[in-house]
């Protein structure tokens, strides 16, 4: 645990130096990468540790984005709106978890996938509160310059990613993390041996919701304008899963490695092949699942072992 | 008012027959292999494009293009399972789900590039007109599409219950190991099952093209309906898909009347979540083999 914590400290400190580059492009990429990291690490609580194939990331993200935006519309200061959005996502995850976590396998996957669709339709139809399909504009934070704004949101995302990582590190080394790994291996046996599976699963689901909710709210403030198909996009759920798979599920740095690797690939494809970018994303997913199902981290182990044999 | 209700009920049943056809193949694959085929919706759309272009360029009636769709889509499904899905069939559900999702992104992107993102509508000339059953009026094209959908679904039922291969599929579904010990080639049966599932998707495409506009991104909506129907009717049984499809069609029609058509998705997905929580084995209540 200490080793992981010190590696993480160095890593986050290095990332914090990024604004020195002074390039707006790198700032935007860095902020997106940190946001992706938050989504991937959050998914890791329920998907990586407990082994439940959750597609609820998009639901938490959209909920957080709209909660933060609507709160600011009514004059709540930005910081409070973000925290409030996180708390709302936490409560929502608790209620949803109690209902849905009784399902297993595909049934749970679909039920969690559907939640984002239902929320999107509801937000779409509540035009008075959320602007409906027209979307919602957010107040632009009063800051000296555009660069200062970019730096501000970068550091906010960095802080959020650090908090999420800390939560993940503490969870993985606690009784909760142990119980979740038991549930992943054999839920019925864990239940029989006295692990309170419902409590553990709901706790993991809440952890997987709260930081995504905050990330959604910060994202909304960062881009000033949100609309339902943008923030309730099922691709957020899929990307979180792909990033964790890419990095290596269940490992401490897997989600972060996956987020960085995924964003690099996505950015390359976006920049060079805009027309076919969803197709290339799909191809990446297919190749990843077929040839590298244990992630990039397993690659280094595999190469290492092969090296020793020679 | 009761007359209106009869009309709505009739509309719902016609729609439901088509839904049954959409869902039966999806339910088969899910029930037999425990694989959710995210591609199912996009294959329906691809089938609809097949009918559209066959009608536009060769003047083939959409009902006849089903005969082209059946072998083509069976082959696609068979090959897909043989080359890709069989390789990870034993992996956790998350991986098969993610794989078909990736393939779906590729197919959607390909369809946008090939057919453009514009909506297309297959228009028959001359139109088939309407038919009046007492006071209830129904368009003939919808009625015929429903009849063909039910015929296709019945065909799948007969294949599963009467043919040798169908019995092998059911055997694999009940107990894969035991079936393998009895000499069933499980990998081949999986490929045939997936082929049949994709075939049902592709064959229902031309039927839907008669009624709805075609869009390359229309797949997920059909997929969502297939999910709901499977959960309503229970997994892997053709009669279950039939019941689930008819129920969903009727619920959607009355929902549109009472709550407004913009809430159709919310309504059917709320129904899905309630069903999952209270009747996870479907309305028929028969426990599946999983």
């Amino acid at each position: 645990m200490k080793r992981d914590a010190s590696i993480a400290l160095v890593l986050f400190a290095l990332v914090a130096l990024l604004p020195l580059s002074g390039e707006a492009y790198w700032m935007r990429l860095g902020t997106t990468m940190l946001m992706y990291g938050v989504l991937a690490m959050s998914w890791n609580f329920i998907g990586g540790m407990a082994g439940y194939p959750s597609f609820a990331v998009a639901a938490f993200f959209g909920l957080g984005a709209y909660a933060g935006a609507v709160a600011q519309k009514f004059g709540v200061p930005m910081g409070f709106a973000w925290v409030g959005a996180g708390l709302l996502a936490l409560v929502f995850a608790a209620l949803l978890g109690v209902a849905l976590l009784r399902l297993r396998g595909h049934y749970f996957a679909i039920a969690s996938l559907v939640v984002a669709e239902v929320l999107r339709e509801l937000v779409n139809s509540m035009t008075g509160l959320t602007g409906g399909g027209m979307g919602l504009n957010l107040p632009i934070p009063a800051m000296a310059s555009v660069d200062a704004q970019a730096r501000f949101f970068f550091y906010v995302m960095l802080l959020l990613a650090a908090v999420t990582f800390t939560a993940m590190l503490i969870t993985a080394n606690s009784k909760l993390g142990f119980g979740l790994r038991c549930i992943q291996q054999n839920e019925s046996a864990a239940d029989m041996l006295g692990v309170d599976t419902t409590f553990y699963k709901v706790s993991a689901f809440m952890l997987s919701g709260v930081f995504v909710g905050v990330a959604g709210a910060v994202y909304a403030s960062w881009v000033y304008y949100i609309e339902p198909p943008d923030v309730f996009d099922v691709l957020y759920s899929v990307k979180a899963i792909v990033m964790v798979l890419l990095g290596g599920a269940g490992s401490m740095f897997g989600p972060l490695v996956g987020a960085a690797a995924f964003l690099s690939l996505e950015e390359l494809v976006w920049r060079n092949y805009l027309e076919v970018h969803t197709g290339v994303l799909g191809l990446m997913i297919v190749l990843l699942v077929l040839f590298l199902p244990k992630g990039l981290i397993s690659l280094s182990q595999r190469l290492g072992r092969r090296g020793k044999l020679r | 008012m009761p007359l209106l209700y009869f009309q709505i009920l009739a509309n719902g049943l016609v729609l439901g027959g088509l839904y049954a056809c959409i869902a039966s193949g999806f339910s088969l694959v899910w029930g037999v292999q425990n694989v959710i085929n995210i591609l199912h919706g996009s294959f329906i759309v691809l089938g609809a494009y097949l009918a559209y272009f066959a009608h536009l360029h060769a003047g083939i009636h959409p009902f006849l293009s089903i005969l082209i769709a059946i072998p083509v889509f069976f082959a696609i499904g068979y090959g897909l399972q043989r080359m890709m899905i069989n390789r990870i069939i034993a992996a956790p559900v998350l991986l098969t789900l993610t794989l078909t999702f990736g393939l779906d992104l590729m197919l959607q992107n390909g369809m946008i590039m090939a057919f453009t993102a514009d909506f297309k509508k297959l228009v028959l000339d001359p139109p088939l007109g309407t038919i009046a059953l007492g006071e209830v009026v129904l368009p003939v094209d919808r009625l015929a599409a429903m009849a063909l959908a039910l015929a296709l679904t019945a065909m799948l039922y007969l294949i599963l219950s009467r043919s040798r291969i169908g019995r092998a599929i059911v055997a694999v579904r009940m107990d894969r190991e035991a079936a393998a010990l009895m000499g069933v080639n499980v990998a081949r049966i999986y490929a045939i099952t997936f082929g049949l599932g994709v075939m049902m998707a592709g064959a229902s495409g031309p039927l839907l093209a008669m009624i709805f506009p075609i869009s390359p991104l229309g797949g997920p909506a059909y997929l969502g309906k297939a999910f709901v129907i499977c959960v309503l009717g229970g997994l892997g049984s053709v009669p279950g898909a039939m019941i689930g499809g008819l129920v969903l069609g009727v619920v959607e029609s009355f929902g549109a009347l009472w709550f407004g058509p913009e809430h159709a998705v919310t309504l059917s997905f709320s129904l899905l979540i309630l069903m999952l929580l209270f009747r996870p084995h479907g309305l028929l209540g028969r426990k599946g083999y999983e």
Side-chain angles (χ1 to χ4, degrees):
Chain A
M1 181 178 179
K2 264 197 178 142
R3 194 174 139 258
D4 284 344
S6 27
I7 295 177
L9 207 61
V10 175
L11 208 67
F12 281 113
L14 282 177
V15 176
L17 296 178
L18 189 75
L20 293 180
S21 76
E23 293 255 1
Y25 174 68
W26 287 107
M27 294 299 294
R28 186 182 68 73
L29 266 193
T31 313
T32 311
M33 188 195 82
L34 290 166
M35 187 178 91
Y36 278 7
V38 171
L39 303 189
M41 286 188 286
S42 295
W43 185 83
N44 202 29
F45 283 109
I46 188 75
M49 293 188 195
Y52 268 67
S54 164
F55 281 76
V57 170
F60 296 136
F61 190 81
L63 184 73
Y66 265 97
V70 170
Q72 287 183 59
K73 193 174 132 186
F74 287 109
V76 179
M78 196 160 65
F80 287 107
W82 294 346
V83 176
L87 290 178
L88 183 69
L90 188 76
V91 173
F92 182 68
L95 296 176
L96 201 64
V98 170
L100 296 188
L101 285 162
R102 288 190 275 166
L103 306 166
R104 288 189 192 178
H106 284 318
Y107 289 102
F108 175 74
I110 291 162
S112 63
L113 184 74
V114 157
V115 174
E117 303 285 318
V118 171
L119 285 180
R120 185 178 62 202
E121 292 296 321
L122 287 178
V123 167
N124 241 336
S125 56
M126 291 194 294
T127 311
L129 192 62
T130 62
M134 291 177 293
L136 198 55
N137 282 303
L138 280 93
I140 296 174
M143 260 169 237
S145 66
V146 178
D147 284 343
Q149 252 176 52
R151 261 198 304 279
F152 172 71
F153 282 108
F154 175 80
Y155 281 119
V156 169
M157 279 295 184
L158 183 68
L159 180 68
L160 183 61
V163 170
T164 313
F165 184 85
T166 313
M168 199 171 74
L169 193 65
I170 292 173
T171 306
N173 291 290
S174 71
K175 205 175 143 195
L176 177 60
F178 187 75
L180 292 175
R181 281 191 293 273
C182 292
I183 290 172
Q184 182 186 29
Q185 281 166 17
N186 190 335
E187 183 167 347
S188 311
D191 194 21
M192 205 120 71
L193 290 173
V195 177
D196 186 349
T197 50
T198 311
F199 175 76
Y200 277 55
K201 285 186 297 186
V202 173
S203 307
F205 203 51
M206 287 164 76
L207 281 167
S208 86
V210 57
F211 305 114
V212 177
V214 180
V218 176
Y219 170 81
S221 299
W222 181 38
V223 299
Y224 315 139
Y225 169 77
I226 53 172
E227 54 170 356
D230 173 26
V231 292
F232 287 109
D233 189 353
V234 63
L235 278 180
Y236 281 119
S237 302
V238 176
K239 281 178 186 172
I241 296 171
V242 170
M243 286 185 280
V244 175
L245 287 181
L246 186 62
S251 63
M252 202 46 63
F253 290 97
L256 282 175
V257 172
F262 179 84
L263 184 74
S264 319
L265 288 170
E266 193 187 50
E267 190 66 19
L268 274 179
V269 173
W270 263 113
R271 254 170 34 176
N272 299 321
Y273 315 100
L274 187 60
E275 286 241 305
V276 293
H277 81 271
T278 49
V280 176
L281 178 65
L283 183 66
M284 269 165 50
I285 294 175
V286 170
L287 294 178
L288 172 70
V289 169
L290 287 180
F291 298 111
L292 205 63
K294 295 221 166 70
L296 288 173
I297 287 198
S298 75
L299 197 66
S300 66
Q301 288 161 1
R302 249 196 290 176
L303 290 178
R305 218 177 303 131
R306 222 174 266 167
K308 262 173 218 158
L309 278 176
R310 265 183 213 144
Chain B
M1 279 311 260
L3 183 62
L4 176 66
Y5 288 156
F6 278 120
Q7 178 69 52
I8 302 262
L9 182 68
N11 288 352
L13 288 174
V14 168
L15 204 57
L18 287 165
Y19 285 175
C21 188
I22 293 180
S24 56
F26 180 75
S27 168
L28 176 74
V29 171
W30 187 358
V32 172
Q33 329 194 113
N34 199 24
V35 166
I36 288 199
N37 180 16
I38 302 276
L39 279 160
H40 198 81
S42 294
F43 277 136
I44 295 172
V45 174
L46 195 62
Y49 274 116
L50 177 87
Y52 176 81
F53 285 108
H55 181 256
L56 189 70
H57 296 303
I60 298 174
H61 194 277
F63 291 156
L64 288 179
S65 51
I66 294 176
L67 294 177
I68 312 170
I70 285 178
V72 169
F73 281 91
F74 180 82
I76 295 176
Y78 188 91
L80 209 57
Q81 176 84 24
R82 270 269 140 139
M83 286 186 296
M84 290 195 180
I85 299 170
N86 266 346
R87 295 172 57 127
I88 57 157
I89 194 85
V93 292
L94 184 67
L95 283 183
T96 47
L97 202 62
T98 315
L99 175 72
T100 55
F101 194 93
L103 289 169
D104 190 42
L105 287 182
M106 291 167 68
L107 181 56
Q108 283 184 3
N109 202 163
M111 287 198 291
I112 292 178
M113 308 253 301
F115 309 132
T116 74
D118 293 342
F119 281 80
K120 295 203 162 56
K121 182 75 186 85
L122 201 162
V123 184
L124 285 182
D125 185 38
L128 293 176
T130 57
I131 189 170
L133 303 167
E135 299 291 323
V136 175
V137 180
L138 289 169
V140 174
D141 50 0
R142 282 199 179 209
L143 212 54
M146 178 217 183
L148 278 172
L150 291 179
L152 281 169
T153 317
M155 182 188 79
L156 183 68
Y157 181 72
L158 286 178
I159 292 176
L160 288 179
S161 58
R162 295 293 156 83
S163 75
R164 219 178 135 73
I165 287 192
R167 298 321 289 164
I169 291 174
V170 175
V172 169
R173 182 200 158 141
M174 284 178 176
D175 190 330
R176 197 179 47 160
E177 278 79 20
L181 287 175
M182 297 299 130
V184 174
N185 181 345
V186 174
R188 184 165 155 265
I189 289 299
Y190 275 167
I192 291 174
T193 310
F194 203 78
L196 286 175
V198 174
M199 180 190 89
M200 291 300 290
S204 52
L207 299 174
L208 290 160
M210 301 273 295
I211 299 172
F212 298 113
I214 314 165
S215 148
L217 298 180
Y222 293 131
L223 182 70
K225 293 194 197 307
F227 279 143
V228 178
I229 295 163
C230 278
V231 173
L232 278 174
L235 262 193
S237 80
V238 177
M242 193 85 93
I243 303 272
L246 292 173
V247 169
L248 181 67
V250 172
V251 166
E252 274 193 358
S253 297
F254 278 100
L257 175 68
W258 287 328
F259 304 106
E262 70 273 22
H263 294 297
V265 176
T266 314
L267 184 69
S268 64
F269 282 158
S270 310
L271 193 67
L272 170 82
I273 291 184
L274 288 177
M275 281 297 294
L276 282 175
L277 292 178
F278 297 109
R279 294 294 303 264
H281 297 296
L283 286 173
L284 294 182
R286 272 203 328 215
K287 227 177 153 166
Y289 299 110
E290 71 275 5

